[in-house]
Amino acid sequence: MGIVLAAGQGKRMKSKLYKVLHPVCGKPMVGHVVSTLEKLQVSRTVVVVGHGAEMVKGYLGDRAEYALQAEQLGTGHAVLQTKELLAEEEGLTIVICGDTPLVSVETLEGMMTLHKERGAAATILTAVVDQPKGYGRIIRDDSGYVTKIVEEKDCSEEQRLVQEINTGTYCFDNRKLFAALSQVTNQNAQNEYYITDVIAILNGQGERVDGYVLADSAESIGVNDRLALAEAEQAMRTRINRNHMLNGVTIIDPASTYIEADVQIGADTVIYPGTVLRGETVIGEDCVLGPQTDIADSRLDAGVTVKQSVLQEAVAGKGSTIGPFAYLRPGAELGQKVKIGDFVEIKNAKLGDETKVSHLSYVGDAVIGRNVNVGCGAITVNYDGFNKQVTIVEDDAFVGSNVNLIAPVVVGKGAYVVAGSTITHNIEAGDLAIARERQVNKAGYADKLRAKFAAKKAQEKK
Ligand code: UD1
Ligand code: CA
């Protein structure tokens, strides 16, 4: 079982957003914690909610059960709110704070293994840090067992010097946890019911309490303010990038590469500096991304190249090339080997295989077939101020430079639209359309015109 404490407001964040919903690498902190418990395959996850309860529940949905802590009387009181749901259960319970997003699955597994081996009633995840300020201190006896945790505000001078801290994550024998919780009081500097007091209570009962020290103390970061938020972000980013690199992704400069928590990337993809990959993005193998590229909630199949571009809820088929300076907005769907060149915007449009939109185009609300050439500066005119209309260009059509396709309009298969045309009527398959003024050349008139202007200027000067 897992209990996640997430009822606090997080005053020190000075934010309208509830603390546990602040994102770290694109994912709310409480989301990281619940994901970790999911990977650990705990039988039940109960999230204690209070401040922002509806928002937290709305975000997590049915990934967890919920216990409401209507008034925030402390972390011990928070755990007590799960009594109805969990007190009768047998087995191990992990208690973890919703503001410690970096605690890893491997760490929890290590803690649980130690807990079982030692036959402990409680095992605390601890860390040895240079700056213990703000954290509860771990007090051990001569034989190394933990006797109690003392909150910073309740510390003596001597206790304050202890560098082993409580990360706020624990493994408990479930029955013993709830039995001890009923004895916790609020006799302390903050008049709160502390979960940490359970440790001294169990110790007093002759139960064994252990501490499992984190190998990497960066995992212990508890986010109480924006400084810690930035620290957590950096530590998480380092971890995410490292995992991708170990899985075969080349990241030229990890320090300037921002990959959110749930992004997937295939092996042999190369990522250049200044690349941001966000949300539910899935990148295939052998892609080349960046530099300066921002991709959110998009799917790129194998071998796609994206340079200096922005993609949002877009799909790019195998071998497509995008950019530099392209903008793919929601609903942009490229087939295979599509070319999207510089200063091209695609929105809510499907483009078939091997179609090219090479420069300076806007394609919106359109269905473009395979092997279509959309010339430089050609655009779909999809909006009349009231309605969005659809443009259809069938396979093998050629749309010349600077063509306006005024939707709704269909360009038939293999049709040819002459450069500079403004198309308002459908074009049948195989037809050629030209829709522009016929050109008139006036022989020698350029010189005549210049002479006329010069004479006028001379007249004015007099
Ligand atoms: C807590 C620990 C401290 C530890 C630190 C690690 C206690 C008393 N102290 O301190 O030993 O070093 O975490 O980060 O447990 N919460 C509730 N209901 C409440 C109070 C808090 O759900 O009534 C939740 C908060 O939303 C938060 C978590 O519990 O996610 C921790 O609370 P917080 O106030 O941040 O505790 P710390 O002072 O950091
Ligand atoms: Ca905290």
Side-chain angles (χ1 to χ4, degrees):
M1 289 150 283
I3 301 175
V4 180
L5 307 187
Q9 183 185 14
K11 287 199 192 83
R12 290 165 281 183
M13 294 297 282
K14 308 245 166 79
S15 177
K16 290 179 282 298
L17 185 65
Y18 303 104
K19 177 164 79 174
V20 297
L21 291 176
H22 273 267
V24 168
C25 291
K27 183 162 159 172
M29 291 197 271
V30 70
H32 283 287
V33 173
V34 170
S35 295
T36 303
L37 292 176
E38 283 167 352
K39 286 184 201 141
L40 203 64
Q41 295 184 311
V42 295
S43 55
R44 298 172 72 179
T45 296
V46 180
V47 178
V48 181
V49 292
H51 280 285
E54 292 314 311
M55 280 186 78
V56 175
K57 283 158 88 169
Y59 164 66
L60 288 170
D62 58 12
R63 292 168 67 192
E65 299 171 72
Y66 300 95
L68 182 70
Q69 186 192 25
E71 241 189 314
Q72 282 64 53
L73 303 179
T75 48
H77 179 257
V79 176
L80 201 57
Q81 307 313 303
T82 68
K83 192 173 170 182
E84 255 175 54
L85 290 169
L86 297 181
E88 301 303 315
E89 296 268 5
E90 299 281 349
L92 286 189
T93 294
I94 304 264
V95 174
I96 183 165
C97 293
D99 64 352
T100 53
L102 287 146
V103 175
S104 70
V105 182
E106 295 73 26
T107 292
L108 293 182
E109 282 168 351
M111 174 177 70
M112 286 164 76
T113 304
L114 181 83
H115 181 88
K116 287 178 200 157
E117 276 171 11
R118 297 265 172 99
T123 303
I124 307 153
L125 181 64
T126 75
V128 177
V129 296
D130 293 337
Q131 307 279 351
K133 195 168 183 295
Y135 292 96
R137 306 297 201 279
I138 302 293
I139 310 299
R140 293 185 185 250
D141 64 15
D142 296 339
S143 48
Y145 289 108
V146 178
T147 53
K148 59 181 173 181
I149 300 173
V150 185
E151 288 308 294
E152 163 113 1
K153 288 182 177 149
D154 301 302
C155 274
S156 66
E157 288 293 312
E158 194 188 343
Q159 286 167 336
R160 203 161 285 149
L161 299 176
V162 173
Q163 288 185 308
E164 188 180 7
I165 58 129
N166 170 27
T167 64
T169 299
Y170 323 80
C171 183
F172 289 106
D173 173 285
N174 190 63
R175 290 296 182 108
K176 290 175 182 168
L177 165 66
F178 283 97
L181 261 183
S182 59
Q183 298 176 40
V184 171
T185 70
N186 64 352
Q187 313 286 296
N188 51 54
Q190 302 189 85
N191 293 119
E192 285 186 0
Y193 296 87
Y194 293 161
I195 181 67
T196 47
D197 282 356
V198 165
I199 301 306
I201 292 167
L202 289 173
N203 184 66
Q205 291 169 349
E207 294 286 358
R208 196 156 175 172
V209 181
D210 238 299
Y212 178 75
V213 187
L214 267 176
D216 173 10
S217 65
E219 273 190 42
S220 67
I221 298 172
V223 176
N224 294 330
D225 58 25
R226 310 266 184 162
L227 295 175
L229 184 66
E231 259 178 69
E233 177 88 21
Q234 196 178 22
M236 182 72 80
R237 181 160 67 240
T238 304
R239 181 191 293 179
I240 290 170
N241 288 354
R242 185 171 182 276
N243 283 340
H244 287 299
M245 290 187 278
L246 290 175
N247 287 328
V249 176
T250 294
I251 300 180
I252 303 289
D253 179 23
S256 69
T257 303
Y258 302 78
I259 303 173
E260 288 187 356
D262 292 332
V263 172
Q264 299 172 37
I265 311 174
D268 286 319
T269 282
V270 177
I271 304 178
Y272 283 88
T275 297
V276 183
L277 303 177
R278 296 187 281 154
E280 313 268 292
T281 294
V282 179
I283 309 279
E285 296 187 353
D286 304 309
C287 291
V288 180
L289 310 180
Q292 315 305 340
T293 286
D294 183 350
I295 303 177
D297 300 313
S298 296
R299 195 194 84 216
L300 272 53
D301 294 341
V304 171
T305 298
V306 187
K307 278 183 186 168
Q308 283 105 342
S309 291
V310 176
L311 278 67
Q312 233 167 30
E313 293 171 50
V315 174
K318 217 170 157 182
S320 291
T321 62
I322 298 165
F325 314 116
Y327 184 19
L328 268 58
R329 292 169 51 202
E333 262 183 57
L334 314 184
Q336 299 188 8
K337 294 191 183 165
V338 169
K339 180 183 178 199
I340 303 298
D342 52 279
F343 306 105
V344 170
E345 175 175 336
I346 310 278
K347 184 216 76 171
N348 187 31
K350 277 199 171 116
L351 280 67
D353 298 348
E354 296 183 47
T355 282
K356 293 187 176 67
V357 188
S358 298
H359 346 253
L360 298 158
S361 284
Y362 170 63
V363 178
D365 301 306
V367 181
I368 314 283
R370 300 162 66 106
N371 190 36
V372 169
N373 185 84
V374 177
C376 176
I379 62 163
T380 55
V381 183
N382 62 324
Y383 185 52
D384 56 17
F386 295 94
N387 300 300
K388 300 274 165 71
Q389 306 283 4
V390 175
T391 301
I392 297 173
V393 180
E394 293 177 357
D395 297 350
D396 307 313
F398 181 93
V399 178
S401 289
N402 219 37
V403 164
N404 298 311
L405 297 169
I406 301 192
V409 74
V410 179
V411 177
K413 183 168 159 49
Y416 195 104
V417 186
V418 173
S421 294
T422 292
I423 300 299
T424 52
H425 299 298
N426 292 352
I427 306 166
E428 294 293 321
D431 286 0
L432 177 144
I434 177 161
R436 62 186 191 212
E437 274 298 275
R438 199 170 274 278
Q439 183 171 328
V440 179
N441 290 358
K442 299 190 176 183
Y445 199 86
D447 285 346
K448 276 190 202 164
L449 190 70
R450 283 192 196 99
K452 190 173 137 189
F453 287 154
K456 199 174 168 209
K457 237 187 182 149
Q459 190 68 34
E460 281 166 5
K461 271 189 187 159
K462 274 187 189 163

